Amino acid sequence: MAALTKRSKVVSNKKMSFWEKIYLPAILGGMWITLGHLFTRKTTVRYPEVTREFSEIYRGKHVLKRDDEGRERCTACGLCAVACPAEAITMIAAERKPGEENLYREEKYASTYEINMLRCIFCGLCEEACPKEAIFLTKEIVKAGYERDTFVYGKDVLLEPLDPLKRIDVSKRQTPEVLEFKKDKNQRHNVQ
Amino acid sequence: MFKITIDNILIEVEEGTTILQAARMIGGKVVPPAMCYYTGLKGSGGKCRSCLVKVAKGSAKDPRPMPKLVASCSTPVQDGMVVENTTSAEVQEARKGVVEFLLINHPLDCPVCDQAGECDLQDLSYGFGMEETNTREPRREYPVVDIGPLIKLHMNRCIHCYRCVLAAEQLTKKRAHGMLYRGDTMEISTFIQTAIDNDFSGNMIDVCPVGALTDKTFRFKSRVWFLNPMNAHRECSKCSGKVTAWMFGNEIYRITGRKDQFGEVEEFICNECRFEKKDINDWVIDGPRKIKRQSVISSNHYEELKKGSIIHPIEGTTEPQE
């Protein structure tokens, strides 16, 4: 019968010699390979003490940005939620009251803003849809957890801290065209 | 009956119809956009210039073309008239200019505006707007005003189409608001903020092509594309009671008139239906409204897919097995 593939081997039934019968050379050979692997470069890292290098545009946990004066940029326009293919984003809008101008950039803001991280697929379409440069994905990774409800991230987790030292730099995520556009201070969008 | 050709499509219409109405009878892409013309309002049209078309042949008797582009909403048809809308580059170019002028003072605050998603100006600027602006001057700004307890006026967004003034004049016995000042500084106002409390004043919101007049009871509640528009009706002593209920689950977020494909309401509804009846038990829900597939409102609204049937199986193949 013709062989079905070129790689088929004819199995021989030949008798093993004495050295083959005691198996010791084969065992020692295997242990030599194991020993050799002890001295090669490791494929794993000791996370969290050591972290791998992240891409500048890694898509991790979201951040709700504030502007330079610390006002929330999000106006709850809902474009991120409608762009989201996983329908992970929900929000409730509220109207800014007189005296809250230092908290919110525009007359409408998101009183609640929630992202279900179990649904999120980290595609980045929300940051692409955002007309206010309010939502960005960051290099921070979403931590594992034991309870499902801990994965619904609200504004308490997502909002950028007010502390100037803890602000999150997203300029690497913006295209050169956007950065060029932001220099034009005649645009209302760019006025701080 | 007059025979008229619009974008190479021949249609027979009655004497006295305007070019815009004739184009709407054909439907589809031929229809010029209209920001100020409203079929239900007498005297509307001729102000925004977004419905400009080219008349390549005046009539069968006088085949000379009209010297300038004409506003199709207020130009009656002539027998043998040849009109160019989408086929004329001149019209498209002129419309771009019109949109630029309409947007000169418009704040473009669509992320904040409640009209976003169902706004005529938004559609128009998507179709014809430029990405950049030529103007360096600051846009005019007005404070946000309450017109009565139910309507909010954002004068910044107004494009001076006069629809709301005409609606108030023609639907109610006594209008309490009008236009003040002239030109660029023109302003809709009630005299010393007189409350508008007519029964049909809420229709100003429906006729407004932009987000200048918005429903205060719906203000910032949700975005239109998160809601399901449903046909609903109830017994009403003042109006027909036929409305669109914008629902989220079993909650009614707002009530509007039933708008047709050109954004015009079929019947004006009263304020009681619009503002006061927000409970689902007040209404009989007839079923979902048909939404244009291109509209943002149709996003995330799933329809059952109908399976196509095979008409001509190719020779030598078998029909797919279930």
Side-chain angles (χ1 to χ4, degrees):
Chain A
M1 201 177 102
L4 286 172
T5 67
K6 284 177 186 167
R7 278 156 49 174
S8 64
K9 276 182 191 168
V10 181
V11 182
S12 74
N13 230 357
K14 97 176 172 33
K15 265 193 149 190
M16 284 195 284
S17 67
F18 171 75
W19 285 109
E20 283 169 338
K21 255 183 193 168
I22 61 171
Y23 290 111
L24 263 176
I27 290 170
L28 288 174
M31 288 174 95
W32 179 251
I33 291 171
T34 312
L35 193 74
H37 275 288
L38 280 179
F39 302 103
T40 53
R41 209 168 65 93
K42 289 172 188 63
T43 48
T44 53
V45 293
R46 298 183 68 82
Y47 184 83
E49 289 85 20
V50 186
T51 47
R52 283 195 192 283
E53 196 190 340
F54 275 54
S55 157
E56 287 294 351
I57 49 167
Y58 182 84
R59 299 196 297 264
K61 200 192 94 178
H62 309 68
V63 62
L64 279 175
K65 285 288 285 178
R66 295 173 186 272
D67 66 3
D68 290 352
E69 291 171 32
R71 299 171 297 182
E72 290 176 23
R73 296 191 79 109
C74 177
T75 63
C77 70
L79 286 182
C80 48
V82 81
C84 183
E87 297 185 17
I89 306 176
T90 51
M91 70 194 69
I92 297 171
E95 190 170 357
R96 181 180 70 185
K97 291 184 182 65
E100 292 181 333
E101 282 83 358
N102 56 337
L103 294 175
Y104 311 110
R105 204 175 143 87
E106 310 226 6
E107 61 179 313
K108 189 171 85 160
Y109 68 94
S111 59
T112 56
Y113 188 99
E114 287 181 343
I115 302 180
N116 189 337
M117 289 298 175
L118 293 172
R119 287 191 142 217
C120 178
I121 57 169
F122 302 97
C123 61
L125 286 184
C126 48
E127 76 178 313
E128 200 171 301
C130 185
K132 294 287 174 190
E133 294 182 280
I135 190 163
F136 285 97
L137 275 65
T138 62
K139 282 199 259 182
E140 197 182 327
I141 59 168
V142 176
K143 292 196 175 64
Y146 291 104
E147 303 290 328
R148 293 185 79 86
D149 12 319
T150 57
F151 284 99
V152 180
Y153 284 10
K155 263 174 86 174
D156 49 335
V157 188
L158 297 171
L159 204 60
E160 186 181 28
L162 260 174
D163 187 352
L165 296 173
K166 289 182 185 164
R167 296 296 283 270
I168 298 160
D169 179 33
V170 290
S171 54
K172 290 270 166 43
R173 302 195 61 81
Q174 291 166 324
T175 56
E177 291 83 15
V178 170
L179 292 173
E180 188 60 35
F181 168 77
K182 279 168 76 75
K183 286 179 192 158
D184 181 4
K185 295 295 176 195
N186 273 319
Q187 302 283 349
R188 205 166 156 212
H189 177 84
N190 299 332
V191 179
Q192 292 299 341
Chain B
M1 296 295 271
F2 282 171
K3 274 185 182 153
I4 162 172
T5 314
I6 305 174
D7 280 355
N8 304 325
I9 301 167
L10 190 74
I11 188 175
E12 213 172 19
V13 293
E14 273 179 40
E15 207 177 322
T17 9
T18 60
I19 299 173
L20 183 73
Q21 280 166 338
R24 283 187 177 183
M25 284 172 202
I26 299 171
K29 282 186 177 170
V30 180
V31 186
M35 299 294 293
C36 65
Y37 175 78
Y38 210 79
T39 315
L41 300 173
K42 223 188 280 170
S44 65
K47 294 178 186 71
C48 70
R49 318 305 290 177
S50 60
C51 65
L52 288 179
V53 290
K54 186 182 162 107
V55 178
K57 189 180 164 193
S59 67
K61 278 182 197 160
D62 182 7
R64 287 177 300 169
M66 290 199 183
K68 287 189 206 171
L69 303 180
V70 296
S72 61
C73 65
S74 47
T75 310
V77 296
Q78 305 278 329
D79 197 20
M81 194 184 239
V82 175
V83 179
E84 288 173 2
N85 176 23
T86 54
T87 49
S88 162
E90 192 187 350
V91 170
Q92 304 298 309
E93 196 58 34
R95 206 164 280 155
K96 264 183 202 166
V98 168
V99 174
E100 197 184 343
F101 270 115
L102 287 177
L103 291 176
I104 273 185
N105 277 314
H106 195 78
L108 288 174
D109 57 347
C110 307
V112 173
C113 180
D114 276 333
Q115 189 89 1
E118 51 177 17
C119 176
D120 293 345
L121 189 60
Q122 213 177 15
D123 296 345
L124 200 63
S125 26
Y126 255 86
F128 302 98
M130 302 194 303
E131 268 181 43
E132 287 162 5
T133 169
N134 284 327
T135 52
R136 292 273 152 190
E137 293 77 17
R139 292 163 191 230
R140 53 163 198 171
E141 282 191 30
Y142 300 95
V144 182
V145 188
D146 289 331
I147 303 191
L150 301 165
I151 301 169
K152 202 97 178 172
L153 168 65
H154 286 256
M155 201 52 222
N156 291 351
R157 298 174 188 153
C158 179
I159 57 160
H160 305 155
C161 72
Y162 262 90
R163 274 185 190 175
C164 61
V165 179
L166 293 169
E169 200 156 66
Q170 289 167 25
L171 296 178
T172 60
K173 287 194 184 89
K174 200 175 158 217
R175 76 174 153 99
H177 79 298
M179 290 283 195
L180 297 184
Y181 315 119
R182 301 200 318 180
D184 203 29
T185 52
M186 192 191 272
E187 197 175 332
I188 298 171
S189 183
T190 57
F191 289 101
I192 321 163
Q193 253 88 76
T194 323
I196 295 183
D197 50 3
N198 282 306
D199 268 340
F200 281 79
S201 65
N203 289 303
M204 292 196 313
I205 300 165
D206 275 352
V207 298
C208 185
V210 291
L213 292 160
T214 47
D215 188 341
K216 238 178 128 183
T217 59
F218 177 64
R219 187 168 164 79
F220 299 163
K221 283 270 157 56
S222 184
R223 309 291 285 172
V224 285
W225 55 84
F226 294 139
L227 305 177
N228 291 311
M230 304 287 254
N231 279 330
H233 71 270
R234 67 181 273 268
E235 291 285 316
C236 180
S237 55
K238 294 173 200 153
C239 66
S240 67
K242 285 180 186 162
V243 299
T244 306
W246 295 77
M247 299 177 64
F248 190 84
N250 269 334
E251 270 176 82
I252 293 181
Y253 273 60
R254 71 163 179 172
I255 302 286
T256 62
R258 291 186 185 175
K259 287 189 183 174
D260 63 12
Q261 52 173 322
F262 306 115
E264 297 179 350
V265 290
E266 286 157 16
E267 276 159 306
F268 291 111
I269 58 168
C270 68
N271 279 9
E272 190 192 341
C273 288
R274 185 187 300 272
F275 297 118
E276 285 163 32
K277 304 288 177 193
K278 292 282 178 85
D279 194 85
I280 190 158
N281 296 322
D282 294 331
W283 297 96
V284 182
I285 307 290
D286 301 327
R289 283 187 69 79
K290 205 89 195 132
I291 316 164
K292 263 191 243 164
R293 195 176 58 81
Q294 293 86 353
S295 168
V296 68
I297 300 170
S298 73
S299 69
N300 295 355
H301 293 181
Y302 306 113
E303 268 183 54
E304 206 182 318
L305 276 176
K306 282 197 189 96
K307 234 182 156 187
S309 55
I310 296 168
I311 304 163
H312 301 295
I314 304 161
E315 218 166 295
T317 59
T318 50
E319 283 195 36
Q321 301 295 310
E322 279 297 317

